[in-house]
Amino acid sequence: MKGLVNGMKNIVVLVSGGGTNLQALIDAQESGMIKNGRITCVISSKADAYALERAKKHGIKTRVLVRKDYPDVIEYSKDMLKALQEEKADLVVYAGFMTILDELVTKAMPNKMMNVHPALIPSFCGKGYYGLRVHEEALAKGVKLTGATVHFVTEVCDGGPIILQKAVEVQDNDTPEILQKRVMEQAEWKILPQAVALFCDDRLEVKDNKVYVR
Ligand code: GAR
């Protein structure tokens, strides 16, 4: 039937750090912005990530899969895929998740994993561009606009189909920390929940590597 959304989706959020993007998703769920999905599990690559506390405060199940406990990325990815399958994930969200998973995960879940990146892709992205480093490079280049991108995760690092982007102005006295905060407040915390809501409402269509919002 047209307009009927295909059930309530299980959202699994992957984190490694402070979890402010996870918080934006929790807030969006609690305010009713995300209607057709719920965060059923948060998986962290670090045992001491503050993101885990945020999840627990809201009664969300947590799991920890420490990257350093595995000999290589393949073994880590196999266990991650197993965990995602156990959690019956319909959507996987990288929210400050700092590990690149092997394609054995991304290929098993095509167009079902999304990532938020703190720049306007294809600028300042790819291997090595994460966290503050992205903003340091943007300031070093002297760009006047930066922003954030939410995209589907593929085997190409930061190379998957772009779902949403939002631009943010750079100011003369910015430090990497100040710029990071502005990009989060004005872009990441807005477009990540929006993209998740669109996905859960079955409104994202991928065709020829491009995303159309229906
Ligand atoms: C965010 O700025 C996110 O975009 C970035 O790390 C930060 C995590 O903050 N992710 C990447 O750089 C991935 N390439 P958070 O833990 O407070 O959400």
Side-chain angles (χ1 to χ4, degrees):
M1 198 194 299
K2 204 169 177 266
L4 190 70
V5 170
N6 211 355
M8 190 66 135
K9 292 185 174 59
N10 294 332
I11 305 166
V12 175
V13 183
L14 306 187
V15 298
S16 302
T20 63
N21 280 290
L22 167 66
Q23 189 66 55
L25 292 173
I26 293 171
D27 294 347
Q29 175 171 298
E30 293 186 349
S31 75
M33 183 188 165
I34 298 171
K35 290 184 203 70
N36 294 304
R38 67 210 148 110
I39 304 166
T40 47
C41 185
V42 169
I43 305 179
S44 176
S45 64
K46 294 206 177 112
D48 60 352
Y50 184 67
L52 290 168
E53 304 308 314
R54 296 182 190 269
K56 285 175 196 156
K57 259 183 219 162
H58 291 266
I60 299 167
K61 177 180 178 183
T62 60
R63 293 176 71 151
V64 177
L65 274 183
V66 178
R67 173 64 184 89
K68 280 182 279 169
D69 290 350
Y70 291 82
D72 55 47
V73 74
I74 303 279
E75 292 309 310
Y76 185 72
S77 299
K78 280 184 192 162
D79 261 16
M80 180 61 82
L81 182 58
K82 202 169 140 244
L84 295 174
Q85 286 165 344
E86 283 166 5
E87 296 304 330
K88 297 185 170 47
D90 297 305
L91 171 65
V92 179
V93 182
Y94 288 40
F97 183 64
M98 299 303 186
T99 300
I100 298 172
L101 295 172
D102 184 78
E103 63 181 38
L104 72 89
V105 184
T106 51
K107 288 213 164 123
M109 305 196 67
N111 300 328
K112 288 186 184 337
M113 305 181 83
M114 55 173 77
N115 176 46
V116 60
H117 183 75
L120 293 173
I121 289 174
S123 287
F124 311 113
C125 67
K127 209 161 180 257
Y129 283 92
Y130 56 88
L132 263 191
R133 173 76 211 287
V134 178
H135 304 290
E136 284 164 9
E137 294 292 325
L139 289 177
K141 183 66 193 175
V143 293
K144 304 298 183 194
L145 278 178
T146 184
T149 302
V150 180
H151 63 92
F152 282 117
V153 178
T154 64
E155 62 281 7
V156 182
C157 178
D158 293 333
I162 292 170
I163 303 166
L164 294 175
Q165 291 187 299
K166 192 164 190 294
V168 172
E169 282 185 16
V170 179
Q171 289 168 16
D172 286 346
N173 297 326
D174 277 349
T175 62
E177 290 79 6
I178 291 172
L179 184 58
Q180 179 182 51
K181 186 160 179 277
R182 188 179 312 117
V183 168
M184 283 177 155
E185 285 173 356
Q186 295 185 6
E188 296 185 50
W189 301 341
K190 294 191 171 144
I191 62 174
L192 183 61
Q194 278 169 9
V196 168
L198 288 168
F199 180 95
C200 292
D201 293 347
D202 290 331
R203 289 184 58 198
L204 298 179
E205 193 181 318
V206 187
K207 232 165 107 184
D208 301 328
N209 221 31
K210 290 185 188 137
V211 179
Y212 298 88
V213 179
R214 302 302 186 194

